[in-house]
Amino acid sequence: MKINVMTDILEANDRLAASSNEMFKKNRNLVLNLMSSPGAGKTSLLEKTAELLKGKLRLGVIAGDIETARDAERLEKHKIPAVQLTTGSACHLDANMVASALPYIDLKKIDVLVIENVGNLVCPAEFKVGEDYKIMILSVTEGDEKPLKYPLMFRESSLLLINKIDLLKYTNFNLKEAKANARRVHPDLEIIEISCVTGEGLDEWIAWLNQHYQKKFGAKTRT
Amino acid sequence: MKINVMTDILEANDRLAASSNEMFKKNRNLVLNLMSSPGAGKTSLLEKTAELLKGKLRLGVIAGDIETARDAERLEKHKIPAVQLTTGSACHLDANMVASALPYIDLKKIDVLVIENVGNLVCPAEFKVGEDYKIMILSVTEGDEKPLKYPLMFRESSLLLINKIDLLKYTNFNLKEAKANARRVHPDLEIIEISCVTGEGLDEWIAWLNQHYQKKFGAKTRT
């Protein structure tokens, strides 16, 4: 008998992810699995997002890192409810790790729950954690060929945020080429260019959030 | 009976890595396992390195990526003998993958063999591939707290190259803090600041290579 260990692991993971997703739905949470390389700007984006959503949608975060609680601490300074998961050596979050964080966060007080994955362009894309959408950040300092080298993450994501657009002029990153590469591996991929320094593109990102919250719950804000 | 699968895997990997390392020694290759996040500048560094080593030490590269042969193609344009390993879904190289590339590269014509790992700050640090030294690149666009979040790679590396130093003024990266963080997890870590755009620090990097080649083989160049 041949046992495919990886298939078994992924099936068990997906069952748990589906059950978490049900719970999120009952609590009226739009849930996003946010992925990127280390340092692409996930936490900075969340700080800006909380500011821009103020009075509209309430943000909450489960942040995954190998070590340290720095991200959760940064977010808490911005009054964002945040739970830090330290994975020890795991290079990605899975459904079980995320489920273990849920007792520590009040889902009823959150509209948009972002699961900030471990910084890694490879493995996070393989594991569902209960999200409605996977979204990813690529920063312009990383290179425009990344969609071809790390296709799975670009294929699995519903939205690509191209970040640090303010640094574009100091790099050899070709924006047109990057988008073409991304759409080569995922033809329908939505793409928004942003800068958390200048604020460029953030209105479009907030509109995306509102639109997807409305799509899931049929209302612009929690009533 | 409890089987620790991970320990077994790592032991088998280390045995093969030690055997590759013996072969590299016989062929008079200084072997470096080069690791970083995606887009930190591994391939650009190797292009520059080949230029600067010309007439002194001969560079060869085994490049690992999930998909595409772009890195090997870039290196071959610079006349660097290069073999591309595409890992499919594996987020790191291991000793077996690297051993599988060896029939395709003429080790007798190489002095410094760089094994360019998959772009990932986590798993590559766990697997020996036959190297004499692990070295890593951190680019200033990634953030100065990375040593604390991804300590294993910084702990395992003999040398840290802080790259894209030309972009320092456009970021909030604190160089002093980054070095302090790196030395908090690895007190003896050697650190060189470089830019592959301006050339800053590359002489120091080349000196490091010469010094470590000499340390291993007792000669400045192959005789």
Side-chain angles (χ1 to χ4, degrees):
Chain A
M1 193 176 97
K2 197 179 151 193
I3 300 172
N4 189 329
V5 179
M6 197 60 197
T7 308
D8 287 357
I9 291 174
L10 286 175
E11 276 173 9
N13 184 74
D14 287 2
R15 272 194 300 276
L16 181 55
S19 133
S20 293
N21 189 265
E22 270 306 301
M23 188 171 44
F24 293 138
K25 198 174 161 189
K26 277 183 202 141
N27 283 287
R28 295 181 68 89
N29 311 128
L30 174 71
V31 182
L32 306 174
N33 181 354
L34 178 60
M35 308 178 294
S36 80
S37 287
K42 295 185 291 303
T43 312
S44 300
L45 175 69
L46 294 175
E47 291 169 344
K48 285 283 172 191
T49 303
E51 267 174 45
L52 294 166
L53 284 179
K54 204 164 276 176
K56 286 171 259 176
L57 294 171
R58 293 165 301 176
L59 184 67
V61 176
I62 296 173
D65 264 307
I66 306 286
E67 285 192 23
T68 84
R70 293 206 156 205
D71 286 353
E73 287 160 14
R74 275 177 67 184
L75 295 165
E76 278 163 357
K77 274 186 200 153
H78 287 73
K79 317 264 181 232
I80 306 167
V83 180
Q84 181 81 45
L85 283 171
T86 51
T87 65
S89 68
C91 60
H92 60 272
L93 293 178
D94 63 23
N96 190 45
M97 293 182 219
V98 170
S100 76
L102 299 182
Y104 304 98
I105 195 159
D106 187 352
L107 294 177
K108 297 215 179 326
K109 292 188 175 164
I110 290 169
D111 304 310
V112 178
L113 176 67
V114 177
I115 297 162
E116 184 184 345
N117 222 307
V118 178
N120 180 344
L121 275 193
V122 189
C123 308
E126 291 183 40
F127 292 84
K128 292 180 187 167
V129 294
E131 72 273 12
D132 298 306
Y133 301 98
K134 286 184 170 70
I135 61 180
M136 69 172 291
I137 304 180
L138 174 71
S139 89
V140 303
T141 56
E142 293 174 63
D144 48 41
E145 86 295 9
K146 290 297 171 292
L148 304 179
K149 283 188 177 172
Y150 302 88
L152 184 67
M153 190 167 288
F154 290 83
R155 205 170 286 138
E156 291 285 323
S157 293
S158 300
L159 173 66
L160 165 64
L161 297 168
I162 302 185
N163 192 21
K164 305 191 189 178
I165 211 83
D166 54 299
L167 294 181
L168 196 56
K169 55 183 173 294
Y170 308 115
T171 70
N172 60 359
F173 188 93
N174 183 326
L175 199 53
K176 207 175 143 189
E177 186 69 16
K179 289 180 178 180
N181 286 337
R183 294 205 166 112
R184 216 161 278 157
V185 300
H186 184 168
D188 303 326
L189 182 61
E190 277 191 79
I191 302 176
I192 304 176
E193 300 158 28
I194 61 166
S195 162
C196 294
V197 174
T198 65
E200 190 180 335
L202 293 180
D203 50 345
E204 209 181 325
W205 154 241
I206 296 297
W208 189 96
L209 284 174
N210 280 318
Q211 185 198 332
H212 287 79
Y213 184 84
Q214 200 169 356
K215 191 172 163 189
K216 185 170 180 184
F217 297 113
K220 267 198 172 161
T221 53
R222 176 185 296 249
T223 45
Chain B
M1 195 176 97
K2 196 180 152 194
I3 300 172
N4 189 328
V5 179
M6 198 59 197
T7 307
D8 287 356
I9 291 173
L10 285 176
E11 276 174 9
N13 183 75
D14 287 2
R15 274 194 300 276
L16 181 55
S19 133
S20 293
N21 189 266
E22 270 308 301
M23 189 174 41
F24 293 138
K25 197 174 163 190
K26 278 183 199 140
N27 283 288
R28 294 179 68 87
N29 311 128
L30 173 71
V31 182
L32 307 173
N33 181 355
L34 178 59
M35 308 178 293
S36 80
S37 287
K42 295 185 291 301
T43 312
S44 300
L45 175 70
L46 294 175
E47 290 169 344
K48 285 283 170 192
T49 303
E51 267 174 47
L52 294 167
L53 284 179
K54 203 165 276 177
K56 287 172 258 175
L57 294 171
R58 292 164 301 176
L59 184 68
V61 177
I62 296 173
D65 264 308
I66 307 286
E67 284 192 23
T68 85
R70 293 207 155 205
D71 286 353
E73 287 160 13
R74 275 177 67 182
L75 295 166
E76 278 164 358
K77 274 186 201 156
H78 287 73
K79 315 264 182 235
I80 306 167
V83 180
Q84 182 81 46
L85 283 171
T86 50
T87 65
S89 67
C91 61
H92 60 271
L93 294 177
D94 62 24
N96 190 46
M97 292 182 220
V98 170
S100 75
L102 299 181
Y104 303 99
I105 196 158
D106 187 352
L107 294 176
K108 297 214 180 326
K109 293 187 175 165
I110 289 169
D111 304 311
V112 178
L113 176 67
V114 177
I115 297 163
E116 184 184 345
N117 223 308
V118 178
N120 180 344
L121 275 193
V122 190
C123 309
E126 291 182 39
F127 292 84
K128 291 181 186 166
V129 293
E131 72 274 11
D132 298 306
Y133 301 98
K134 287 184 170 69
I135 61 181
M136 69 171 291
I137 303 179
L138 174 70
S139 88
V140 302
T141 56
E142 293 172 64
D144 49 40
E145 85 294 10
K146 290 297 171 290
L148 304 179
K149 282 189 178 173
Y150 302 87
L152 184 66
M153 189 165 289
F154 290 83
R155 205 170 285 138
E156 290 286 323
S157 293
S158 299
L159 173 66
L160 166 64
L161 297 167
I162 301 185
N163 193 19
K164 306 192 188 177
I165 210 84
D166 54 299
L167 293 181
L168 196 56
K169 55 184 172 296
Y170 308 115
T171 69
N172 61 358
F173 188 93
N174 183 327
L175 200 51
K176 205 174 145 190
E177 186 69 16
K179 289 180 177 180
N181 285 338
R183 294 205 167 111
R184 215 161 279 158
V185 299
H186 183 168
D188 303 326
L189 182 61
E190 276 192 80
I191 303 176
I192 304 176
E193 299 157 30
I194 62 167
S195 162
C196 293
V197 174
T198 66
E200 190 179 335
L202 293 180
D203 50 344
E204 209 182 325
W205 154 240
I206 296 298
W208 189 96
L209 284 174
N210 280 317
Q211 185 198 331
H212 287 79
Y213 184 85
Q214 201 170 355
K215 190 172 164 190
K216 184 169 180 185
F217 297 113
K220 266 197 173 159
T221 53
R222 176 185 295 248
T223 45

